[in-house]
Every structure is written in C-alpha cells, then in structure tokens.
Amino acid sequence: QVQLVESGGGLVQAGGSLRLSCAASGFTFSVYAMGWFRQAPGKEREFVAAISGDTHYADSVKGRFTISRDNAKNTVYLQMNSLKPEDTGVYYCAGDTIIQRVRALPVYWGQGTKVTVSS
C-alpha cells in the first residue's frame, strides 16, 4: 500500500535550519508530483511547496525553503532555512499525479512531522 513517511522535524531556534525528508513507497514515485503542506496550531493546513518538472512555493517560504527529490531513493526533501516562529507546525508530505492536484487536494498524505521554531 501507499506510504509516505516524514522525518527530520524537531525544535530549532529562529534563524536556524532543518531538512525534512519523506520516504515514499507503494506507487511509482518518479512519475508523481510531490509536495509539502503544514498546519500550525489552531489553523488550517496550508500548501508550502511542490515539485514535479518544476517547483512551486507559497509566498511565505519563497527564498527560504527549497524542495527537491531523489527518484533513486523515492524521497522528497524540504530544506528550510532562516526559520521563523511562524513556520511552526506539523509538516505533511503529499503526492498526486500532477502538480496542480498536489497544490489543491493531493490523494496521498503522510502522517506528519512536527517543527517548532522558538523565538
């Protein structure tokens, strides 16, 4: 069955960096668009970044976050630099057949990894 397993979350000070990883299995990873969402406490889940042949980013993370993938390892990454307290939340990996669907309502979801940025 399809599995998306995130890792790499944790506690970091403002201005610091983290790299999230998402290991995928159960589908043909290389042909799928992948993405990251996040949900802050008390807020709705929001799109962060997506990758297919190109990359898309939310305005709030442009220039600070970088999404990448390694098709040989069936893994997608999110490098997060210059972290801010407002980046705190649970980060979810997601996948779907095309990037537009990943941005909207992807079919595959991971369980999430928690990121806390202290001020």
Side-chain angles (χ1 to χ4, degrees), residues 58-76:
D59 288 343
S60 58
V61 306
K62 278 181 183 175
R64 300 188 298 121
F65 290 12
T66 302
I67 188 171
S68 62
R69 65 192 297 162
D70 185 337
N71 289 337
K73 295 182 178 181
N74 284 4
T75 300
V76 61

Side-chain angles (χ1 to χ4, degrees), residues 8-108:
L11 173 64
V12 64
Q13 287 188 334
S17 298
L18 281 176
R19 188 175 84 151
L20 306 183
S21 300
C22 171
S25 61
F27 63 101
T28 307
F29 177 82
S30 61
V31 303
Y32 268 64
M34 300 297 297
W36 290 93
F37 286 70
R38 67 186 181 189
Q39 187 167 18
K43 296 188 176 180
E44 292 187 354
R45 194 175 298 187
E46 64 176 0
F47 168 78
V48 174
I51 185 168
S52 181
D54 57 351
T55 55
H56 295 193
Y57 295 96
D59 288 343
S60 58
V61 306
K62 278 181 183 175
R64 300 188 298 121
F65 290 12
T66 302
I67 188 171
S68 62
R69 65 192 297 162
D70 185 337
N71 289 337
K73 295 182 178 181
N74 284 4
T75 300
V76 61
Y77 304 98
L78 185 67
Q79 177 65 45
M80 305 186 295
N81 298 329
S82 302
L83 282 161
K84 305 175 181 179
E86 51 263 43
D87 294 318
T88 293
V90 178
Y91 283 69
Y92 298 90
C93 177
D96 210 316
T97 51
I98 58 175
I99 202 166
Q100 289 80 3
R101 288 179 181 169
V102 170
R103 292 197 61 159
L105 190 61
V107 63
Y108 298 145

